[in-house]
Amino acid sequence: MSEATPSTPFGDPIDRQGIYEIEASTDFWNRKPQLQLIYAAAMDERISPWGLLAAVMAHRLSHVPPTVVLVKANGKEGPSLASGTSLNTFVGLVAPPGGGKSVTFRLASELMPPKDIPLADGTGQGIVKAMAERKKITKDDEGKTLDNPYMVTRFHRHSLTLHAPEVTTLNAEFAREGSKTGGMMRSLWVGETVGMTNADSERNAVLPANMARLCGIWGVQPRNATAIMAQADDGTPQRFLWVPVRDRRRNHPEFLTNVSAPPPNTTFPFPVFGTTPPGIAMGSSLPLELRDDDPLPDPTWVHWSTDMEATVAANANAFDELMDAYEDYDELPPEVEAETNRLTMAAHLLLMRIKLAASLGFLW
């Protein structure tokens, strides 16, 4: 970055040439037929294959039940569904007006339709209400008053896909004083219990841990996400996968000739989760109503690779060693604070990479 460019907590930016170099060194788009299909479709519509890939992955994930979760931070399975980390995803399609965001939405839906009709943008509270509501049950099936009323969570759905061509609404919500949207979105990304309890029963809603699959895709103009970026200390922008929409590689024929055409009849088969039938794996067996004392459904665990475990552990050890001489509330020397910020950002990046590895696997 030049001296005129302010520093960011995200490290050095990657430019167009950097993306091309990654593609060339890894032969990424030739790794699987599905990637070749996505690349060919993007080139035909003159949009970025990376933006299309991110949208297709989000759509595929909408079909995967929320009970499919990552193992705990130590790489081990937990005792219950609440111990896992959600695979929920937030995608930011970055482009100026007219840069191809709408085309990306449409083409992704052609290649991989989302599980249900996508909804437009909304607040954190609105998203939770679209998924479930809280009700107090005071009568039995015969209409008789219960001696011991109880609360239930009634699910309208377990999977929700958002298509928001503009990030303006979400950005404004993040900027609004007193808004809980930022915290709720961060909790939904990792699968924590999220919701609100209010004196107005019509506004009550709670989503138990890892019972909601949220796949959000927002169109983002480069200069129109200031409030989201301002929440870097809270971890909000780190939970977004930022991908380009506009692609200019047609000016570079050498990049166009390196990807083979996909084999005929290439499709995106539904991922197999052990011996679970596809209909059940897609969530048809998930309860539509949960009492507060009901157990959560059994999880399906997604494990990390050995390299993932080692890398995550190394980052955690580096943070512990750095902070060994300080308490959490100490005022840190500038160089130590900068390094803690870097390691914290790296931890977010590693979790994002693990999520992406699972989502890529689900494509084939």
Side-chain angles (χ1 to χ4, degrees), residues 156-190:
H156 306 307
R157 66 187 79 207
H158 288 287
S159 178
L160 176 61
T161 302
L162 292 177
H163 277 190
E166 299 295 339
V167 78
T168 308
T169 300
L170 188 64
N171 201 42
E173 185 63 23
F174 283 151
R176 183 172 62 85
E177 185 176 356
S179 171
K180 294 181 172 60
T181 292
M184 296 175 78
M185 296 289 286
R186 292 190 294 271
S187 294
L188 282 166
W189 193 77
V190 294

PDB file of all heavy atoms in Angstrom, residues 156-190:
ATOM      1  N   HIS A 156     -40.425 -21.521  11.337  1.00  0.00           N
ATOM      2  CA  HIS A 156     -41.045 -21.332  10.029  1.00  0.00           C
ATOM      3  C   HIS A 156     -40.211 -22.019   8.948  1.00  0.00           C
ATOM      4  O   HIS A 156     -40.750 -22.443   7.927  1.00  0.00           O
ATOM      5  CB  HIS A 156     -41.151 -19.838   9.705  1.00  0.00           C
ATOM      6  CG  HIS A 156     -41.838 -19.037  10.767  1.00  0.00           C
ATOM      7  ND1 HIS A 156     -43.076 -19.373  11.251  1.00  0.00           N
ATOM      8  CD2 HIS A 156     -41.450 -17.921  11.438  1.00  0.00           C
ATOM      9  CE1 HIS A 156     -43.435 -18.494  12.177  1.00  0.00           C
ATOM     10  NE2 HIS A 156     -42.470 -17.614  12.310  1.00  0.00           N
ATOM     11  N   ARG A 157     -38.926 -22.124   9.208  1.00  0.00           N
ATOM     12  CA  ARG A 157     -37.986 -22.737   8.277  1.00  0.00           C
ATOM     13  C   ARG A 157     -36.690 -22.982   9.045  1.00  0.00           C
ATOM     14  O   ARG A 157     -36.452 -22.392  10.103  1.00  0.00           O
ATOM     15  CB  ARG A 157     -37.735 -21.823   7.081  1.00  0.00           C
ATOM     16  CG  ARG A 157     -37.012 -20.537   7.445  1.00  0.00           C
ATOM     17  CD  ARG A 157     -36.924 -19.570   6.287  1.00  0.00           C
ATOM     18  NE  ARG A 157     -38.182 -18.855   6.099  1.00  0.00           N
ATOM     19  CZ  ARG A 157     -38.585 -18.370   4.948  1.00  0.00           C
ATOM     20  NH1 ARG A 157     -37.853 -18.537   3.867  1.00  0.00           N
ATOM     21  NH2 ARG A 157     -39.721 -17.708   4.850  1.00  0.00           N
ATOM     22  N   HIS A 158     -35.845 -23.839   8.494  1.00  0.00           N
ATOM     23  CA  HIS A 158     -34.515 -24.050   9.072  1.00  0.00           C
ATOM     24  C   HIS A 158     -33.424 -23.520   8.165  1.00  0.00           C
ATOM     25  O   HIS A 158     -32.248 -23.535   8.540  1.00  0.00           O
ATOM     26  CB  HIS A 158     -34.278 -25.538   9.344  1.00  0.00           C
ATOM     27  CG  HIS A 158     -35.075 -26.075  10.500  1.00  0.00           C
ATOM     28  ND1 HIS A 158     -34.771 -25.781  11.813  1.00  0.00           N
ATOM     29  CD2 HIS A 158     -36.166 -26.890  10.536  1.00  0.00           C
ATOM     30  CE1 HIS A 158     -35.642 -26.393  12.610  1.00  0.00           C
ATOM     31  NE2 HIS A 158     -36.490 -27.065  11.868  1.00  0.00           N
ATOM     32  N   SER A 159     -33.782 -23.085   6.974  1.00  0.00           N
ATOM     33  CA  SER A 159     -32.803 -22.561   6.027  1.00  0.00           C
ATOM     34  C   SER A 159     -33.339 -21.280   5.409  1.00  0.00           C
ATOM     35  O   SER A 159     -34.503 -21.228   4.998  1.00  0.00           O
ATOM     36  CB  SER A 159     -32.516 -23.596   4.926  1.00  0.00           C
ATOM     37  OG  SER A 159     -31.602 -23.089   3.969  1.00  0.00           O
ATOM     38  N   LEU A 160     -32.493 -20.272   5.365  1.00  0.00           N
ATOM     39  CA  LEU A 160     -32.896 -18.984   4.803  1.00  0.00           C
ATOM     40  C   LEU A 160     -31.761 -18.449   3.934  1.00  0.00           C
ATOM     41  O   LEU A 160     -30.616 -18.338   4.373  1.00  0.00           O
ATOM     42  CB  LEU A 160     -33.193 -17.977   5.919  1.00  0.00           C
ATOM     43  CG  LEU A 160     -33.547 -16.549   5.492  1.00  0.00           C
ATOM     44  CD1 LEU A 160     -34.812 -16.535   4.646  1.00  0.00           C
ATOM     45  CD2 LEU A 160     -33.711 -15.654   6.711  1.00  0.00           C
ATOM     46  N   THR A 161     -32.095 -18.141   2.682  1.00  0.00           N
ATOM     47  CA  THR A 161     -31.145 -17.525   1.767  1.00  0.00           C
ATOM     48  C   THR A 161     -31.551 -16.078   1.535  1.00  0.00           C
ATOM     49  O   THR A 161     -32.722 -15.801   1.265  1.00  0.00           O
ATOM     50  CB  THR A 161     -31.113 -18.277   0.416  1.00  0.00           C
ATOM     51  OG1 THR A 161     -30.779 -19.644   0.637  1.00  0.00           O
ATOM     52  CG2 THR A 161     -30.080 -17.661  -0.519  1.00  0.00           C
ATOM     53  N   LEU A 162     -30.594 -15.171   1.661  1.00  0.00           N
ATOM     54  CA  LEU A 162     -30.839 -13.755   1.428  1.00  0.00           C
ATOM     55  C   LEU A 162     -30.174 -13.335   0.122  1.00  0.00           C
ATOM     56  O   LEU A 162     -29.005 -13.651  -0.125  1.00  0.00           O
ATOM     57  CB  LEU A 162     -30.272 -12.909   2.564  1.00  0.00           C
ATOM     58  CG  LEU A 162     -30.932 -13.004   3.936  1.00  0.00           C
ATOM     59  CD1 LEU A 162     -30.170 -12.140   4.927  1.00  0.00           C
ATOM     60  CD2 LEU A 162     -32.385 -12.577   3.875  1.00  0.00           C
ATOM     61  N   HIS A 163     -30.923 -12.626  -0.712  1.00  0.00           N
ATOM     62  CA  HIS A 163     -30.394 -11.989  -1.914  1.00  0.00           C
ATOM     63  C   HIS A 163     -30.630 -10.495  -1.772  1.00  0.00           C
ATOM     64  O   HIS A 163     -31.751 -10.023  -1.940  1.00  0.00           O
ATOM     65  CB  HIS A 163     -31.099 -12.496  -3.175  1.00  0.00           C
ATOM     66  CG  HIS A 163     -30.561 -13.775  -3.703  1.00  0.00           C
ATOM     67  ND1 HIS A 163     -30.915 -14.301  -4.927  1.00  0.00           N
ATOM     68  CD2 HIS A 163     -29.668 -14.663  -3.175  1.00  0.00           C
ATOM     69  CE1 HIS A 163     -30.278 -15.445  -5.117  1.00  0.00           C
ATOM     70  NE2 HIS A 163     -29.531 -15.680  -4.074  1.00  0.00           N
ATOM     71  N   ALA A 164     -29.597  -9.764  -1.450  1.00  0.00           N
ATOM     72  CA  ALA A 164     -29.719  -8.318  -1.280  1.00  0.00           C
ATOM     73  C   ALA A 164     -28.805  -7.640  -2.299  1.00  0.00           C
ATOM     74  O   ALA A 164     -27.586  -7.576  -2.091  1.00  0.00           O
ATOM     75  CB  ALA A 164     -29.332  -7.907   0.138  1.00  0.00           C
ATOM     76  N   PRO A 165     -29.346  -7.150  -3.411  1.00  0.00           N
ATOM     77  CA  PRO A 165     -28.503  -6.530  -4.436  1.00  0.00           C
ATOM     78  C   PRO A 165     -27.693  -5.347  -3.925  1.00  0.00           C
ATOM     79  O   PRO A 165     -26.647  -5.034  -4.476  1.00  0.00           O
ATOM     80  CB  PRO A 165     -29.514  -6.097  -5.506  1.00  0.00           C
ATOM     81  CG  PRO A 165     -30.687  -7.007  -5.314  1.00  0.00           C
ATOM     82  CD  PRO A 165     -30.758  -7.240  -3.833  1.00  0.00           C
ATOM     83  N   GLU A 166     -28.173  -4.693  -2.875  1.00  0.00           N
ATOM     84  CA  GLU A 166     -27.437  -3.566  -2.300  1.00  0.00           C
ATOM     85  C   GLU A 166     -27.294  -3.778  -0.799  1.00  0.00           C
ATOM     86  O   GLU A 166     -28.228  -4.222  -0.139  1.00  0.00           O
ATOM     87  CB  GLU A 166     -28.142  -2.245  -2.581  1.00  0.00           C
ATOM     88  CG  GLU A 166     -28.289  -1.918  -4.064  1.00  0.00           C
ATOM     89  CD  GLU A 166     -26.956  -1.687  -4.753  1.00  0.00           C
ATOM     90  OE1 GLU A 166     -25.970  -1.386  -4.048  1.00  0.00           O
ATOM     91  OE2 GLU A 166     -26.903  -1.810  -5.989  1.00  0.00           O
ATOM     92  N   VAL A 167     -26.145  -3.411  -0.263  1.00  0.00           N
ATOM     93  CA  VAL A 167     -25.864  -3.593   1.153  1.00  0.00           C
ATOM     94  C   VAL A 167     -26.329  -2.395   1.978  1.00  0.00           C
ATOM     95  O   VAL A 167     -26.125  -2.344   3.191  1.00  0.00           O
ATOM     96  CB  VAL A 167     -24.353  -3.839   1.369  1.00  0.00           C
ATOM     97  CG1 VAL A 167     -23.581  -2.534   1.282  1.00  0.00           C
ATOM     98  CG2 VAL A 167     -24.092  -4.562   2.681  1.00  0.00           C
ATOM     99  N   THR A 168     -26.990  -1.435   1.333  1.00  0.00           N
ATOM    100  CA  THR A 168     -27.347  -0.172   1.988  1.00  0.00           C
ATOM    101  C   THR A 168     -28.142  -0.401   3.269  1.00  0.00           C
ATOM    102  O   THR A 168     -27.858   0.207   4.310  1.00  0.00           O
ATOM    103  CB  THR A 168     -28.162   0.710   1.020  1.00  0.00           C
ATOM    104  OG1 THR A 168     -27.447   0.831  -0.203  1.00  0.00           O
ATOM    105  CG2 THR A 168     -28.391   2.080   1.621  1.00  0.00           C
ATOM    106  N   THR A 169     -29.148  -1.273   3.228  1.00  0.00           N
ATOM    107  CA  THR A 169     -29.995  -1.501   4.406  1.00  0.00           C
ATOM    108  C   THR A 169     -29.185  -2.046   5.564  1.00  0.00           C
ATOM    109  O   THR A 169     -29.281  -1.569   6.706  1.00  0.00           O
ATOM    110  CB  THR A 169     -31.138  -2.472   4.059  1.00  0.00           C
ATOM    111  OG1 THR A 169     -31.923  -1.908   3.005  1.00  0.00           O
ATOM    112  CG2 THR A 169     -32.017  -2.725   5.274  1.00  0.00           C
ATOM    113  N   LEU A 170     -28.370  -3.060   5.289  1.00  0.00           N
ATOM    114  CA  LEU A 170     -27.564  -3.660   6.349  1.00  0.00           C
ATOM    115  C   LEU A 170     -26.548  -2.663   6.883  1.00  0.00           C
ATOM    116  O   LEU A 170     -26.336  -2.566   8.099  1.00  0.00           O
ATOM    117  CB  LEU A 170     -26.855  -4.905   5.809  1.00  0.00           C
ATOM    118  CG  LEU A 170     -26.115  -5.763   6.836  1.00  0.00           C
ATOM    119  CD1 LEU A 170     -27.094  -6.347   7.840  1.00  0.00           C
ATOM    120  CD2 LEU A 170     -25.346  -6.881   6.147  1.00  0.00           C
ATOM    121  N   ASN A 171     -25.932  -1.910   6.011  1.00  0.00           N
ATOM    122  CA  ASN A 171     -24.950  -0.925   6.432  1.00  0.00           C
ATOM    123  C   ASN A 171     -25.594   0.128   7.346  1.00  0.00           C
ATOM    124  O   ASN A 171     -25.038   0.507   8.372  1.00  0.00           O
ATOM    125  CB  ASN A 171     -24.342  -0.251   5.201  1.00  0.00           C
ATOM    126  CG  ASN A 171     -23.004   0.404   5.485  1.00  0.00           C
ATOM    127  OD1 ASN A 171     -22.178  -0.163   6.181  1.00  0.00           O
ATOM    128  ND2 ASN A 171     -22.805   1.594   4.961  1.00  0.00           N
ATOM    129  N   ALA A 172     -26.784   0.591   6.967  1.00  0.00           N
ATOM    130  CA  ALA A 172     -27.494   1.582   7.781  1.00  0.00           C
ATOM    131  C   ALA A 172     -27.885   0.998   9.130  1.00  0.00           C
ATOM    132  O   ALA A 172     -27.844   1.693  10.159  1.00  0.00           O
ATOM    133  CB  ALA A 172     -28.723   2.081   7.034  1.00  0.00           C
ATOM    134  N   GLU A 173     -28.253  -0.274   9.140  1.00  0.00           N
ATOM    135  CA  GLU A 173     -28.636  -0.921  10.393  1.00  0.00           C
ATOM    136  C   GLU A 173     -27.441  -1.039  11.331  1.00  0.00           C
ATOM    137  O   GLU A 173     -27.561  -0.837  12.537  1.00  0.00           O
ATOM    138  CB  GLU A 173     -29.212  -2.310  10.098  1.00  0.00           C
ATOM    139  CG  GLU A 173     -29.767  -3.029  11.308  1.00  0.00           C
ATOM    140  CD  GLU A 173     -30.950  -2.336  11.952  1.00  0.00           C
ATOM    141  OE1 GLU A 173     -31.635  -1.556  11.261  1.00  0.00           O
ATOM    142  OE2 GLU A 173     -31.187  -2.564  13.152  1.00  0.00           O
ATOM    143  N   PHE A 174     -26.270  -1.331  10.778  1.00  0.00           N
ATOM    144  CA  PHE A 174     -25.071  -1.401  11.601  1.00  0.00           C
ATOM    145  C   PHE A 174     -24.739  -0.037  12.197  1.00  0.00           C
ATOM    146  O   PHE A 174     -24.200   0.058  13.299  1.00  0.00           O
ATOM    147  CB  PHE A 174     -23.887  -1.900  10.777  1.00  0.00           C
ATOM    148  CG  PHE A 174     -23.901  -3.386  10.529  1.00  0.00           C
ATOM    149  CD1 PHE A 174     -23.319  -3.911   9.394  1.00  0.00           C
ATOM    150  CD2 PHE A 174     -24.507  -4.259  11.415  1.00  0.00           C
ATOM    151  CE1 PHE A 174     -23.318  -5.279   9.155  1.00  0.00           C
ATOM    152  CE2 PHE A 174     -24.522  -5.626  11.187  1.00  0.00           C
ATOM    153  CZ  PHE A 174     -23.928  -6.140  10.055  1.00  0.00           C
ATOM    154  N   ALA A 175     -25.023   1.013  11.445  1.00  0.00           N
ATOM    155  CA  ALA A 175     -24.689   2.365  11.892  1.00  0.00           C
ATOM    156  C   ALA A 175     -25.708   2.909  12.887  1.00  0.00           C
ATOM    157  O   ALA A 175     -25.406   3.872  13.602  1.00  0.00           O
ATOM    158  CB  ALA A 175     -24.590   3.303  10.689  1.00  0.00           C
ATOM    159  N   ARG A 176     -26.887   2.320  12.945  1.00  0.00           N
ATOM    160  CA  ARG A 176     -27.951   2.860  13.812  1.00  0.00           C
ATOM    161  C   ARG A 176     -27.617   2.623  15.285  1.00  0.00           C
ATOM    162  O   ARG A 176     -27.288   1.514  15.692  1.00  0.00           O
ATOM    163  CB  ARG A 176     -29.288   2.206  13.461  1.00  0.00           C
ATOM    164  CG  ARG A 176     -30.470   2.753  14.247  1.00  0.00           C
ATOM    165  CD  ARG A 176     -31.778   2.199  13.708  1.00  0.00           C
ATOM    166  NE  ARG A 176     -31.855   0.757  13.837  1.00  0.00           N
ATOM    167  CZ  ARG A 176     -32.262   0.123  14.958  1.00  0.00           C
ATOM    168  NH1 ARG A 176     -32.579   0.835  16.041  1.00  0.00           N
ATOM    169  NH2 ARG A 176     -32.318  -1.187  14.994  1.00  0.00           N
ATOM    170  N   GLU A 177     -27.706   3.681  16.070  1.00  0.00           N
ATOM    171  CA  GLU A 177     -27.411   3.582  17.496  1.00  0.00           C
ATOM    172  C   GLU A 177     -28.404   2.645  18.177  1.00  0.00           C
ATOM    173  O   GLU A 177     -29.611   2.732  17.975  1.00  0.00           O
ATOM    174  CB  GLU A 177     -27.463   4.972  18.146  1.00  0.00           C
ATOM    175  CG  GLU A 177     -27.048   4.977  19.610  1.00  0.00           C
ATOM    176  CD  GLU A 177     -27.015   6.376  20.205  1.00  0.00           C
ATOM    177  OE1 GLU A 177     -27.247   7.346  19.449  1.00  0.00           O
ATOM    178  OE2 GLU A 177     -26.761   6.489  21.407  1.00  0.00           O
ATOM    179  N   GLY A 178     -27.889   1.732  18.966  1.00  0.00           N
ATOM    180  CA  GLY A 178     -28.735   0.794  19.688  1.00  0.00           C
ATOM    181  C   GLY A 178     -29.124  -0.442  18.894  1.00  0.00           C
ATOM    182  O   GLY A 178     -29.791  -1.335  19.416  1.00  0.00           O
ATOM    183  N   SER A 179     -28.696  -0.528  17.647  1.00  0.00           N
ATOM    184  CA  SER A 179     -29.042  -1.686  16.823  1.00  0.00           C
ATOM    185  C   SER A 179     -28.328  -2.934  17.328  1.00  0.00           C
ATOM    186  O   SER A 179     -27.156  -2.899  17.679  1.00  0.00           O
ATOM    187  CB  SER A 179     -28.672  -1.435  15.366  1.00  0.00           C
ATOM    188  OG  SER A 179     -28.812  -2.618  14.608  1.00  0.00           O
ATOM    189  N   LYS A 180     -29.050  -4.043  17.356  1.00  0.00           N
ATOM    190  CA  LYS A 180     -28.474  -5.320  17.772  1.00  0.00           C
ATOM    191  C   LYS A 180     -28.123  -6.195  16.569  1.00  0.00           C
ATOM    192  O   LYS A 180     -27.712  -7.343  16.737  1.00  0.00           O
ATOM    193  CB  LYS A 180     -29.462  -6.063  18.675  1.00  0.00           C
ATOM    194  CG  LYS A 180     -29.727  -5.379  20.016  1.00  0.00           C
ATOM    195  CD  LYS A 180     -30.700  -6.193  20.846  1.00  0.00           C
ATOM    196  CE  LYS A 180     -30.830  -5.616  22.262  1.00  0.00           C
ATOM    197  NZ  LYS A 180     -31.309  -4.245  22.262  1.00  0.00           N
ATOM    198  N   THR A 181     -28.287  -5.644  15.364  1.00  0.00           N
ATOM    199  CA  THR A 181     -28.083  -6.455  14.171  1.00  0.00           C
ATOM    200  C   THR A 181     -26.657  -6.993  14.075  1.00  0.00           C
ATOM    201  O   THR A 181     -26.442  -8.161  13.740  1.00  0.00           O
ATOM    202  CB  THR A 181     -28.430  -5.649  12.912  1.00  0.00           C
ATOM    203  OG1 THR A 181     -29.839  -5.414  12.888  1.00  0.00           O
ATOM    204  CG2 THR A 181     -28.049  -6.409  11.646  1.00  0.00           C
ATOM    205  N   GLY A 182     -25.650  -6.156  14.362  1.00  0.00           N
ATOM    206  CA  GLY A 182     -24.267  -6.601  14.261  1.00  0.00           C
ATOM    207  C   GLY A 182     -23.995  -7.814  15.141  1.00  0.00           C
ATOM    208  O   GLY A 182     -23.436  -8.823  14.683  1.00  0.00           O
ATOM    209  N   GLY A 183     -24.398  -7.737  16.412  1.00  0.00           N
ATOM    210  CA  GLY A 183     -24.179  -8.851  17.330  1.00  0.00           C
ATOM    211  C   GLY A 183     -24.948 -10.098  16.921  1.00  0.00           C
ATOM    212  O   GLY A 183     -24.439 -11.222  17.029  1.00  0.00           O
ATOM    213  N   MET A 184     -26.165  -9.909  16.445  1.00  0.00           N
ATOM    214  CA  MET A 184     -26.978 -11.057  16.041  1.00  0.00           C
ATOM    215  C   MET A 184     -26.393 -11.729  14.805  1.00  0.00           C
ATOM    216  O   MET A 184     -26.366 -12.961  14.703  1.00  0.00           O
ATOM    217  CB  MET A 184     -28.424 -10.610  15.798  1.00  0.00           C
ATOM    218  CG  MET A 184     -29.106 -10.094  17.055  1.00  0.00           C
ATOM    219  SD  MET A 184     -30.754  -9.431  16.752  1.00  0.00           S
ATOM    220  CE  MET A 184     -31.688 -10.940  16.619  1.00  0.00           C
ATOM    221  N   MET A 185     -25.886 -10.928  13.857  1.00  0.00           N
ATOM    222  CA  MET A 185     -25.285 -11.505  12.661  1.00  0.00           C
ATOM    223  C   MET A 185     -24.017 -12.279  13.003  1.00  0.00           C
ATOM    224  O   MET A 185     -23.764 -13.365  12.469  1.00  0.00           O
ATOM    225  CB  MET A 185     -24.974 -10.402  11.653  1.00  0.00           C
ATOM    226  CG  MET A 185     -26.187  -9.667  11.119  1.00  0.00           C
ATOM    227  SD  MET A 185     -27.191 -10.671  10.014  1.00  0.00           S
ATOM    228  CE  MET A 185     -26.165 -10.695   8.561  1.00  0.00           C
ATOM    229  N   ARG A 186     -23.222 -11.734  13.902  1.00  0.00           N
ATOM    230  CA  ARG A 186     -22.003 -12.441  14.306  1.00  0.00           C
ATOM    231  C   ARG A 186     -22.335 -13.759  14.991  1.00  0.00           C
ATOM    232  O   ARG A 186     -21.669 -14.777  14.771  1.00  0.00           O
ATOM    233  CB  ARG A 186     -21.152 -11.554  15.221  1.00  0.00           C
ATOM    234  CG  ARG A 186     -20.556 -10.339  14.515  1.00  0.00           C
ATOM    235  CD  ARG A 186     -19.526  -9.642  15.403  1.00  0.00           C
ATOM    236  NE  ARG A 186     -20.133  -9.043  16.587  1.00  0.00           N
ATOM    237  CZ  ARG A 186     -20.614  -7.816  16.643  1.00  0.00           C
ATOM    238  NH1 ARG A 186     -20.612  -7.054  15.549  1.00  0.00           N
ATOM    239  NH2 ARG A 186     -21.120  -7.337  17.760  1.00  0.00           N
ATOM    240  N   SER A 187     -23.380 -13.755  15.807  1.00  0.00           N
ATOM    241  CA  SER A 187     -23.786 -14.989  16.484  1.00  0.00           C
ATOM    242  C   SER A 187     -24.341 -16.005  15.501  1.00  0.00           C
ATOM    243  O   SER A 187     -24.077 -17.212  15.615  1.00  0.00           O
ATOM    244  CB  SER A 187     -24.837 -14.676  17.557  1.00  0.00           C
ATOM    245  OG  SER A 187     -24.290 -13.892  18.599  1.00  0.00           O
ATOM    246  N   LEU A 188     -25.106 -15.550  14.523  1.00  0.00           N
ATOM    247  CA  LEU A 188     -25.640 -16.465  13.518  1.00  0.00           C
ATOM    248  C   LEU A 188     -24.521 -17.094  12.700  1.00  0.00           C
ATOM    249  O   LEU A 188     -24.614 -18.264  12.304  1.00  0.00           O
ATOM    250  CB  LEU A 188     -26.599 -15.717  12.587  1.00  0.00           C
ATOM    251  CG  LEU A 188     -27.998 -15.437  13.130  1.00  0.00           C
ATOM    252  CD1 LEU A 188     -28.718 -14.420  12.261  1.00  0.00           C
ATOM    253  CD2 LEU A 188     -28.807 -16.728  13.209  1.00  0.00           C
ATOM    254  N   TRP A 189     -23.459 -16.355  12.451  1.00  0.00           N
ATOM    255  CA  TRP A 189     -22.356 -16.861  11.623  1.00  0.00           C
ATOM    256  C   TRP A 189     -21.680 -18.067  12.263  1.00  0.00           C
ATOM    257  O   TRP A 189     -21.257 -18.984  11.581  1.00  0.00           O
ATOM    258  CB  TRP A 189     -21.352 -15.746  11.375  1.00  0.00           C
ATOM    259  CG  TRP A 189     -20.350 -16.048  10.303  1.00  0.00           C
ATOM    260  CD1 TRP A 189     -20.542 -16.014   8.950  1.00  0.00           C
ATOM    261  CD2 TRP A 189     -18.974 -16.391  10.485  1.00  0.00           C
ATOM    262  NE1 TRP A 189     -19.380 -16.325   8.284  1.00  0.00           N
ATOM    263  CE2 TRP A 189     -18.402 -16.566   9.205  1.00  0.00           C
ATOM    264  CE3 TRP A 189     -18.166 -16.572  11.625  1.00  0.00           C
ATOM    265  CZ2 TRP A 189     -17.058 -16.907   9.030  1.00  0.00           C
ATOM    266  CZ3 TRP A 189     -16.829 -16.912  11.439  1.00  0.00           C
ATOM    267  CH2 TRP A 189     -16.295 -17.076  10.156  1.00  0.00           C
ATOM    268  N   VAL A 190     -21.582 -18.054  13.589  1.00  0.00           N
ATOM    269  CA  VAL A 190     -20.925 -19.169  14.285  1.00  0.00           C
ATOM    270  C   VAL A 190     -21.921 -20.171  14.850  1.00  0.00           C
ATOM    271  O   VAL A 190     -21.533 -21.236  15.318  1.00  0.00           O
ATOM    272  CB  VAL A 190     -19.993 -18.667  15.409  1.00  0.00           C
ATOM    273  CG1 VAL A 190     -18.832 -17.899  14.831  1.00  0.00           C
ATOM    274  CG2 VAL A 190     -20.754 -17.816  16.414  1.00  0.00           C
TER     275      VAL A 190
END
